[in-house]
């Protein structure tokens, strides 16, 4: 009989590096949204609530999980961001830059997305 497989199966993601924001997709139209400081959702990453510690990330994720249970959003997760000297908030990964640009389908002007 073969030995059992030793595949890695994480039960929980590792915490996001700081600073972080929480993102999701709005359920009624699929638009990328970010958890706002007031507990609502915004389409602008600049208006997102930022977490500076692991505890703050957990608190934001709990708020977002409630919105997911209420079927306002889907695919909730935290993501690292870069906060520039002028206060501009930018996603770190290319995937998140594309999502933040709200151009997740190919259109004529899609190639103008700054990556």
């Amino acid at each position: 009989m073969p030995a059992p497989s030793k595949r890695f199966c994480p039960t929980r993601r590792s915490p996001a590096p700081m600073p972080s924001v929480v993102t999701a997709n709005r359920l009624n139209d699929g638009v990328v949204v970010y958890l706002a400081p007031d507990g609502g959702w915004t389409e602008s990453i600049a208006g997102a609530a930022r977490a500076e510690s692991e505890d703050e990330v957990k608190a934001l994720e709990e708020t977002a999980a409630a919105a997911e249970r209420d079927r306002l959003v889907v695919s909730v997760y935290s993501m690292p961001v870069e906060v520039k000297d002028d206060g501009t908030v930018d996603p770190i990964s290319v995937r998140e830059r594309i999502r933040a640009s709200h151009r997740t389908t190919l259109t004529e002007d899609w190639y103008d997305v700054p990556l």
Side-chain angles (χ1 to χ4, degrees), residues 22-24 26 33-43 47-50 56 59-70 72-73 76:
V22 172
T23 185
R26 196 166 40 216
V33 291
Y34 303 93
L35 185 61
D38 66 0
W41 294 91
T42 178
E43 293 180 21
R50 288 194 301 260
E56 290 177 359
L60 292 178
E61 288 176 339
E62 288 172 8
T63 300
E68 193 169 33
R69 282 190 301 276
D70 292 340
L72 300 174
V73 295
V76 171

Side-chain angles (χ1 to χ4, degrees), residues 51-62:
E52 301 291 338
S53 70
E54 188 173 334
D55 288 339
E56 290 177 359
V57 170
K58 287 179 185 176
L60 292 178
E61 288 176 339
E62 288 172 8

Side-chain angles (χ1 to χ4, degrees), residues 1-7:
M1 181 188 259
S5 172
K6 293 186 178 182
R7 291 186 286 169

Side-chain angles (χ1 to χ4, degrees), residues 98-107 109-114:
I98 292 168
R99 290 181 78 242
S101 73
H102 297 285
R103 296 181 181 178
T104 55
T105 57
L106 289 175
T107 61
D109 62 345
W110 187 88
Y111 295 98
D112 296 334
V113 175

